[in-house]
Amino acid sequence: MNRIFSGVQPTGNLHLGNYLGAIRNWVALQRDFDCIFCIVDLHAITLPQDPAALRGSTREVAAAYVAAGIDPESCIIFNQSTVPAHAELAWVLGCMTPLGWLNRMTQFKEKAGKQREMAGLGLYGYPVLMAADILLYKATHVPVGEDQKQHLELARDIAGTFNRTYGTDLFPLPEPQILGTATRVMSLRDGTKKMSKSDSSDYSRINMTDDADTIALKVRRAKTDPHPLPDSVAGLEGRPEAENLIDIYAALSGRGREETVAEFAGAQFSAFKERLVDLAVAVLGPIGAEMKRLVGAPDHVDAILAHGAQRANAIAEKHLAEVYDIVGMLRPRVKSS
Ligand code: TYM
């Protein structure tokens, strides 16, 4: 069976982009794939983190997976640091990843910013750890948002390098799955910037736990332009805020872009926004409420994570042993007499 691996960083403020670009697609895919969904806490410490906030966010992301509809029995849900093989495989893969490949990664450039010399080795090696996450389970498919495409291309290159170097076909080359109409949800304050957990303005994003009033306020305050909505998809050209809101509506309603544009052709933003508020509240409201309920039951969430860690470790240890064997690591065993 084809296997999916994907993950979210527990860095706070899970938002509509994480939901529409990733988590919602996983819910649909779990029927047809063997699925492993990780909370990537080792990735979360590539930028400064507060320990208590990290623990809280880890439970919150687990709660989001379950509240969105991922079944913790048929899928494996766990946090990365509970499976030591992720870090071990990352080391092996890092030894065969040229610096030139890492230097091309746009996410590192964005996150390191002007302080490049001060950026940590972990931030630089982030994509190698991500490749290890995927290859450790021999995942064949990786559903993510558009922003992760470059990292996945790197993961494929690393898998190919390992296979060629050691003359093996151990790792399948993982396929990115960038699905739906909201593969890159933009900020509500600036249609040219990605909706992000780290944006200092909470008005730039709809969080998965926002209540109905907050969602309404954020949508009503979302930046627009002075023109009515266009009557064709081509009319969205050069209107990033209109395009973003239409794409969000299309994704939340499960309809296409064309159909959504046709429905609101010539409408004023004020009327369209009211419909968007109703839809966003209808979709996110129950998920946010269930997330809050689960976060309030940490023992239950921890039990899900512990069960997931046990199952993930069973696969990971077996595959890491294969890697070490191929690479030539001696695994001494004392014979019993
Ligand atoms: P993170 O936490 O930054 O993002 C989690 C997922 O949400 C998607 N996403 C978006 N999609 C659409 N519009 C947006 N504005 C938006 N913002 C975020 C991301 O594309 C991602 O799918 N590096 C990964 C975490 C990771 C991972 C992995 C993923 C670590 N190891 C292995 C897949 C496989 C990340 O971006 O996390």
Side-chain angles (χ1 to χ4, degrees), residues 5-11 14-23 26 38-40 43 61 65 80 86 107 111 126-127 129-134 141-149 151-152 182-187 193-197:
F5 183 97
S6 199
V8 171
Q9 296 185 77
T11 43
L14 275 181
H15 55 70
L16 189 62
N18 301 129
Y19 179 63
L20 294 177
I23 302 172
W26 306 351
C38 188
I39 298 120
V40 291
H43 279 102
V61 177
Y65 290 0
Q80 195 183 23
H86 287 251
Q107 189 170 298
K111 288 193 176 173
Y126 181 115
L129 178 59
M130 186 164 157
D133 296 340
I134 299 163
H141 294 78
V142 186
V144 284
E146 175 82 39
D147 61 344
Q148 294 304 306
K149 203 167 162 207
H151 285 162
L152 286 185
T183 56
R184 188 173 175 83
V185 178
M186 308 308 275
S187 158
K193 266 175 53 188
K194 195 181 71 168
M195 184 177 284
S196 136
K197 293 173 194 153

Side-chain angles (χ1 to χ4, degrees), residues 69-70 135 153 229 273 311:
I70 292 166
L135 302 180
E153 279 158 12
L229 286 159
K273 280 180 166 181
R311 294 158 74 201

